[in-house]
Amino acid sequence: MHSSSYKRNILILNVYSILIKRVAFPIIILYYLLNNLNFTQIGIIGSASAITMLIFEISGGVFADVHGRKKSLFLSSSLATITMALLYLGNSFGIFLLAGIFYGVASSFLSGTRTSLLYDTLVQLKEEHKFKKYNGRMIFIAYFFNALFLLGIPVLYKYYPKIPFLIGVLFYFVAAILSLFVIEPPRVDKDETKNYKRRLFDAIGEIHLTSKIKSLIFILAITGPFAWMASDYIQPLLKIRGLDIIYFGIIYAVMRMVAGFSSGITHKLEKVVNTKNLLIIGAILTILGFAGFRFGNVLWITIGAIIILKFSE
């Protein structure tokens, strides 16, 4: 296949990244509360989703290596479609817990798949040296358009609580269809002689052998889950601070834009600050963000803490 044919992968990945961003993001916790779940049950759902994602993280990556990133993207968005359908149709803890587990598995198939596919696509185009630029742009575009969508979601939720999840079903379904048009590029480092099980054990072995990966996992294991959960749990906090739900979309749009902006400049920061120090800075900003939640008792401090937290991601 001619190398120029791979150019469409970049467009597909950009659109795909827009569609898989959760449009129900600003109201998910309020939706749980509306359906009479308590915070313990909501915490269990979040934990089940995170644990499921961690359990399938390595095997999901190995699946992409062996069976192709195209199939991984399709599986991820298909499982996410089921997640949104369960949230749309469900009204109980059991159904929402099942949805959280499905989302965890969907996330494990997605993790690292897009970036790997993007890099190998750029190799075919002989532009792999521009990977950080293209990857940062992909993330920024996804956050930008998702921010626009989020502006209207809380307004819809206020009058039709289930509509955001129906929109989510549509978006993920379109993403699944779109993934079928990806052209799978050859893997740069693929060893065809290794079977699935061998690759799985090799991946697990790398965790024990690589000190940088150990440090990365340690930092992310401490800061990541808290930052991820906080993005959802701030909804009741915003309500307590007196913010009307129709303005939640603005807050979440700002969060997306900040996260997109920080992703867009990361490759530039790495030229002056090494990766280890960037991770440490991210951890410090995460702590400052949570301190704002704890000690801030007015709306503007809470919003400032949110922005700091999203920038740290």
Side-chain angles (χ1 to χ4, degrees), residues 11-75:
L11 176 60
I12 290 173
L13 285 171
N14 282 328
V15 178
Y16 184 93
S17 297
I18 293 170
L19 293 171
I20 62 170
K21 288 296 179 185
R22 293 184 299 165
V23 292
F25 191 36
I27 49 83
I28 183 69
I29 299 300
L30 298 181
Y31 181 70
Y32 288 151
L33 294 173
L34 181 67
N35 284 278
N36 300 315
L37 271 65
N38 56 48
F39 281 106
T40 300
Q41 292 172 317
I42 294 171
I44 291 172
I45 292 172
S47 298
S49 183
I51 291 171
T52 302
M53 182 174 64
L54 288 173
I55 290 173
F56 286 93
E57 180 79 16
I58 294 177
S59 58
V62 173
F63 179 91
D65 286 349
V66 176
H67 300 288
R69 281 71 54 91
K70 179 177 180 176
K71 291 181 180 178
S72 287
L73 291 178
F74 178 77
L75 277 174

Side-chain angles (χ1 to χ4, degrees), residues 20-280:
I20 62 170
K21 288 296 179 185
R22 293 184 299 165
V23 292
F25 191 36
I27 49 83
I28 183 69
I29 299 300
L30 298 181
Y31 181 70
Y32 288 151
L33 294 173
L34 181 67
N35 284 278
N36 300 315
L37 271 65
N38 56 48
F39 281 106
T40 300
Q41 292 172 317
I42 294 171
I44 291 172
I45 292 172
S47 298
S49 183
I51 291 171
T52 302
M53 182 174 64
L54 288 173
I55 290 173
F56 286 93
E57 180 79 16
I58 294 177
S59 58
V62 173
F63 179 91
D65 286 349
V66 176
H67 300 288
R69 281 71 54 91
K70 179 177 180 176
K71 291 181 180 178
S72 287
L73 291 178
F74 178 77
L75 277 174
S76 177
S77 45
S78 296
L79 290 169
T81 302
I82 296 174
T83 299
M84 291 295 110
L86 288 171
L87 289 170
Y88 174 73
L89 297 171
N91 58 7
S92 65
F93 169 68
I95 297 298
F96 294 152
L97 177 61
L98 183 62
I101 292 172
F102 267 103
Y103 190 74
V105 179
S107 299
S108 68
F109 279 104
L110 183 65
S111 179
T113 303
R114 285 175 298 163
T115 53
S116 172
L117 182 60
L118 176 63
Y119 181 80
D120 287 348
T121 294
L122 291 174
V123 169
Q124 296 302 312
L125 298 173
K126 303 186 185 306
E127 294 187 35
E128 63 270 25
H129 59 286
K130 297 180 180 179
F131 168 73
K132 290 182 179 180
K133 175 183 177 180
Y134 277 100
N135 189 53
R137 182 185 298 170
M138 180 177 69
I139 295 172
F140 175 79
I141 290 172
Y143 278 129
F144 176 79
F145 280 97
N146 184 247
L148 296 181
F149 295 142
L150 293 182
L151 290 173
I153 291 299
V155 179
L156 292 174
Y157 172 82
K158 187 170 184 177
Y159 300 102
Y160 309 100
K162 287 184 175 289
I163 288 297
F165 303 101
L166 188 59
I167 295 173
V169 169
L170 176 62
F171 277 25
Y172 280 117
F173 178 76
V174 173
I177 298 301
L178 191 63
S179 67
L180 297 176
F181 293 92
V182 165
I183 300 175
E184 184 82 36
R187 283 194 64 87
V188 174
D189 58 348
K190 187 172 182 178
D191 182 355
E192 296 289 352
T193 64
K194 290 186 178 180
N195 61 24
Y196 184 93
K197 187 178 292 186
R198 175 71 181 280
R199 283 180 174 275
L200 180 59
F201 284 123
D202 285 351
I204 295 173
E206 287 179 8
I207 294 177
H208 297 288
L209 295 174
T210 309
S211 59
K212 287 185 177 180
I213 293 179
K214 285 182 180 180
S215 300
L216 177 62
I217 290 175
F218 178 74
I219 293 174
L220 293 179
I222 294 175
T223 62
F226 289 103
W228 180 68
M229 291 293 288
S231 296
D232 287 338
Y233 272 94
I234 61 168
Q235 294 163 27
L237 184 59
L238 289 172
K239 198 170 183 179
I240 291 171
R241 295 287 183 261
L243 187 67
D244 191 291
I245 188 173
I246 64 172
Y247 299 112
F248 280 27
I250 298 175
I251 301 299
Y252 275 82
V254 171
M255 288 167 59
R256 288 301 199 198
M257 291 301 295
V258 170
F261 172 76
S262 61
S263 298
I265 65 171
T266 297
H267 71 282
K268 296 180 180 179
L269 291 175
E270 287 180 342
K271 294 179 181 179
V272 293
V273 182
N274 61 43
T275 303
K276 181 180 178 180
N277 288 335
L278 277 177
L279 289 171
I280 293 173

